[in-house]
Amino acid sequence: MKNQSIWKLKPTNQKYPTLKDDIHTEVAIIGGGITGISTALLLAQQGIETVVLEAREIGKGTTGNSTGNLYSLIESGLSSIEEKYDLTTLQRVVDSRKKALSLIKNNIENFQIDCDYNNRSMFYFDTDNNLNLNKERKLALEVGITTTLIKDENFPFRISQGLEFENQAQINPLAYVQGLAKEVHNLGGKIYENSNVTSIVEEKDQVILTTPKANIRAKKVIQATHTPKGLQIQYHTTLGPYREYGIAAKLKNDNYPRGIFWGFFRNKKYSIRSYKFQGENFLICVGNMHKVGQTDDNLSQILALESFVKEYFEIEKITHRWGGQNYKPADMLPYIGKKKNNSKQYIATGFSTDGLVYGSLAALILSDEIIGRKNVFWNLYKAYRHRPLKVAKNFTKENLNVASKLIGDFLKSGQNLDLKKMMPEQGKIINYKSGKIAIYKNKSGDFKFLSPICPHMGCTVRWNNAEKSWDCPCHGSRFDPQGKVIEGPSLKGLKRK
Ligand SMILES: Cc1cc2nc3c(=O)[nH]c(=O)nc-3n(C[C@H](O)[C@H](O)[C@H](O)COP(=O)(O)OP(=O)(O)OC[C@H]3O[C@@H](n4cnc5c(N)ncnc54)[C@H](O)[C@@H]3O)c2cc1C
């Protein structure tokens, strides 16, 4: 069994260099996920000098940990947008998502990207008659999404009600982004991997980005980092960071379900699909979402996912396990656009679990803005918007939660621990004379001592025993056992103790 997403089965042939010399560019994009690379391609196609800086490897952030489903609907249901806003807003959200879906399809066709694209139906259902599917169905038809009731006798799950939405799609998201990156490179765009940006300084006529080996000066910068980097309180207080898990499995029989299955089983949502790679089938299941850094036992979440799958399928073996992060915006719409009114920096965040499509949409909106074209969806997703009434309920909920983590976890004592008794590949927060220490013991029995205080806003990190990382419960920064940033808003790693 591999502790990585199934998409990494497909080998990557492309590697990009690390940035070693100072450079200038028109546009610098931080982050090589679907958002950054799709934007880079649209800019490179217009002949705009573009540089992508990726901290790790292209596509291996959240994009490479996703489920690879492409749909015009949204995670929270169509009614959630109609209820918070109105039917017109919902129509615009759906229209904008359809535009992004066309972009993805066209890219795959034009560049012949080998990413296992398949047209598929999406099934939205529950087992306990709790969803208001009549309303979902009515809204879907009103905004131009064809839908029918699931009546199939051979439907793979026993359900109480469900809807089918035809003509949605599935891909291998990592292969798609790597395919796009190749085209960026072919068009003269520059891509650097293992080049993490550690500081962003905006001056009057340029933005200076620092990476460990060289600096880059750009006229404009796009933060395609899933969540904005550094201290950006107006965004981080309106984004709820959530973690969920994925597993892939081989079945004892050939009952691999075909389609996108979004089911509420006893009120808990799971996303299920299958994937065929080199003639071999795999079942994929994603679920068990919780706030980042707010579970005492991440591993139990993955094990629960495995138990769930075993209840419904005859599993031969689990082949892959992984986790991924989502940022939920308080007013339910992503933030795409200029960071502040006169800023030279742009952001794209708050995609919930719908970001393969929203990330592609962000690419359309941001590239239009940089090229100087008016995009009809600019105002809908405008990043520096102010919608206090739309934000209020979720804002209060998320920030009370953060406040309790900030103060509560700091006051809570660490453990008093006999280091000899600590298991290998585990982390613990312990009390010491000078305060608390985050300790990690590696396979060979060596220890790493770090400050448990997240450099972003000072919350105390927690050990994630499934993914071997230190996770911040406030705004979702995650650090590897050596203290290096994996993801989230923090630009700096955990301090050594
Ligand atoms: C389990 C799971 C399943 C999902 N399934 C779906 C799905 O089926 N369909 C769907 O539409 N959406 C899905 N999503 C959501 C979707 O995957 C994300 O919203 C989307 O991939 C975000 O893309 P991105 O490019 O903005 O971010 P990422 O893919 O995370 O890319 C950001 C990149 O920025 C880099 N970076 C960060 N900081 C720095 C720095 N300081 N310097 C340089 N680089 C940096 C990271 O290394 C990373 O590669 C899912 C999410 C999860 C967690």
Side-chain angles (χ1 to χ4, degrees):
M1 206 237 342
K2 294 205 157 115
N3 285 317
Q4 61 177 40
S5 93
I6 182 146
W7 312 118
K8 292 172 189 159
L9 270 178
K10 216 171 197 150
T12 316
N13 299 321
Q14 302 150 251
K15 293 263 173 249
Y16 299 95
T18 301
L19 182 70
K20 289 200 179 119
D21 298 309
D22 290 354
I23 49 171
H24 288 78
T25 185
E26 193 76 22
V27 179
I29 298 177
I30 314 175
I34 196 164
T35 308
I37 295 296
S38 307
T39 313
L41 181 58
L42 289 167
L43 292 175
Q45 283 171 322
Q46 295 297 319
I48 293 178
E49 189 188 26
T50 305
V51 171
V52 178
L53 297 166
E54 166 52 48
R56 291 162 181 260
E57 288 174 59
I58 295 300
K60 293 193 178 169
T62 317
T63 300
N65 289 329
S66 71
T67 327
N69 294 325
L70 305 174
Y71 42 84
S72 44
L73 300 119
I74 48 164
E75 182 214 2
S76 49
L78 299 175
S79 48
S80 66
I81 299 284
E82 193 260 351
E83 279 160 18
K84 197 171 251 306
Y85 295 85
D86 48 33
L87 188 63
T88 313
T89 308
L90 176 63
Q91 179 75 66
R92 300 190 68 222
V93 168
V94 169
D95 289 350
S96 65
R97 288 182 61 82
K98 283 185 177 171
K99 274 242 153 36
L101 287 166
S102 304
L103 173 76
I104 298 173
K105 194 162 183 232
N106 289 342
N107 279 339
I108 293 169
E109 281 167 10
N110 291 346
F111 303 117
Q112 302 277 299
I113 301 175
D114 176 15
C115 63
D116 307 305
Y117 180 94
N118 282 301
N119 185 301
R120 291 279 186 256
S121 277
M122 177 163 189
F123 303 95
Y124 188 60
F125 55 92
D126 72 5
T127 56
D128 305 273
N129 257 326
N130 283 323
L131 296 175
N132 186 349
L133 288 192
N134 283 338
K135 182 153 189 206
E136 283 298 304
R137 186 173 183 211
K138 183 173 159 280
L139 287 173
L141 294 172
E142 273 173 342
V143 295
I145 305 176
T146 319
T147 176
T148 50
L149 294 176
I150 300 173
K151 288 206 184 104
D152 186 355
E153 300 272 294
N154 299 317
F155 193 68
F157 306 100
R158 190 145 0 120
I159 61 174
S160 56
Q161 52 168 352
L163 296 175
E164 175 174 354
F165 303 89
E166 285 179 8
N167 293 322
Q168 311 300 312
Q170 290 180 320
I171 51 170
N172 172 335
L174 178 58
Y176 172 65
V177 170
Q178 288 177 343
L180 291 185
K182 197 168 143 202
E183 294 310 320
V184 172
H185 177 75
N186 290 345
L187 285 168
K190 293 199 174 66
I191 299 178
Y192 295 96
E193 289 184 322
N194 301 306
S195 304
N196 60 311
V197 172
T198 53
S199 97
I200 306 170
V201 178
E202 183 163 342
E203 294 183 343
K204 200 165 148 253
D205 49 8
Q206 64 178 352
V207 185
I208 306 169
L209 305 178
T210 310
T211 71
K213 296 201 169 130
N215 293 342
I216 175 162
R217 287 161 196 276
K219 292 208 178 109
K220 288 175 179 162
V221 164
I222 297 174
Q223 293 199 25
T225 43
H226 205 196
T227 187
K229 287 293 194 183
L231 258 192
Q232 303 199 28
I233 294 181
Q234 76 275 29
Y235 294 114
H236 294 130
T237 49
T238 50
L239 290 169
Y242 288 82
R243 198 127 194 103
E244 65 178 332
Y245 302 91
I247 52 170
K250 297 214 55 71
L251 302 185
K252 287 185 183 153
N253 50 35
D254 210 27
N255 295 341
Y256 291 92
R258 201 171 134 126
I260 303 171
F261 295 85
W262 271 11
F264 289 79
F265 296 80
R266 300 185 290 269
N267 270 340
K268 230 174 151 185
K269 188 175 170 198
Y270 296 93
S271 168
I272 299 161
R273 65 168 286 188
S274 42
Y275 175 59
K276 195 171 193 171
F277 177 69
Q278 294 181 344
E280 255 195 285
N281 282 307
F282 295 87
L283 176 86
I284 299 171
C285 180
V286 165
N288 283 0
M289 202 182 281
H290 62 81
K291 280 205 85 176
V292 177
Q294 296 196 21
T295 175
D296 288 333
D297 185 359
N298 302 65
L299 188 58
S300 70
Q301 303 285 344
I302 297 192
L303 297 176
L305 196 58
E306 293 181 9
S307 303
F308 164 78
V309 168
K310 284 176 184 158
E311 210 182 306
Y312 289 89
F313 296 91
E314 286 200 48
I315 302 292
E316 185 188 308
K317 63 172 177 185
I318 305 287
T319 56
H320 298 77
R321 279 176 178 174
W322 70 96
Q325 202 137 307
N326 294 305
Y327 296 89
K328 292 184 189 288
D331 68 4
M332 304 193 84
L333 294 177
Y335 298 91
I336 303 169
K338 270 194 185 168
K339 201 179 102 174
K340 285 192 288 206
N341 204 359
N342 291 318
S343 179
K344 290 173 201 63
Q345 295 182 62
Y346 299 82
I347 61 162
T349 187
F351 297 158
S352 289
T353 62
D354 308 317
L356 297 179
V357 178
Y358 276 140
S360 308
L361 174 65
L364 287 166
I365 295 175
L366 296 179
S367 61
D368 271 356
E369 164 71 11
I370 284 172
I371 292 159
R373 274 195 307 235
K374 196 173 160 38
N375 187 293
V376 289
F377 300 114
W378 175 264
N379 276 329
L380 180 62
Y381 298 109
K382 192 161 98 174
Y384 58 95
R385 63 191 182 232
H386 187 53
R387 295 175 185 152
L389 292 177
K390 306 284 180 218
V391 164
K393 199 169 138 217
N394 291 336
F395 178 86
T396 311
K397 186 182 110 198
E398 292 294 348
N399 286 293
L400 280 178
N401 177 285
V402 168
S404 79
K405 293 295 145 200
L406 193 62
I407 301 161
D409 280 13
F410 184 75
L411 293 177
K412 234 192 268 168
S413 317
Q415 299 178 0
N416 293 316
L417 187 77
D418 179 351
L419 291 186
K420 282 188 215 126
K421 289 191 184 147
M422 199 169 156
M423 298 295 286
E425 295 196 286
Q426 284 304 319
K428 298 264 184 223
I429 308 266
I430 63 147
N431 290 319
Y432 194 64
K433 287 177 225 158
S434 56
K436 284 184 212 160
I437 303 185
I439 299 188
Y440 172 73
K441 183 176 184 179
N442 73 12
K443 259 190 201 159
S444 342
D446 298 328
F447 291 94
K448 179 84 188 175
F449 301 94
L450 297 166
S451 159
I453 303 303
C454 175
H456 178 232
M457 280 179 74
C459 293
T460 307
V461 296
R462 284 210 191 157
W463 179 245
N464 171 339
N465 62 352
E467 299 171 271
K468 315 284 178 221
S469 58
W470 296 106
D471 298 359
C472 178
C474 290
H475 304 102
S477 294
R478 296 181 60 241
F479 307 87
D480 73 11
Q482 305 306 313
K484 217 175 136 199
V485 182
I486 302 173
E487 63 185 315
S490 187
L491 280 161
K492 304 251 181 291
L494 296 177
K495 277 196 192 138
R496 281 212 219 155
K497 277 264 189 179

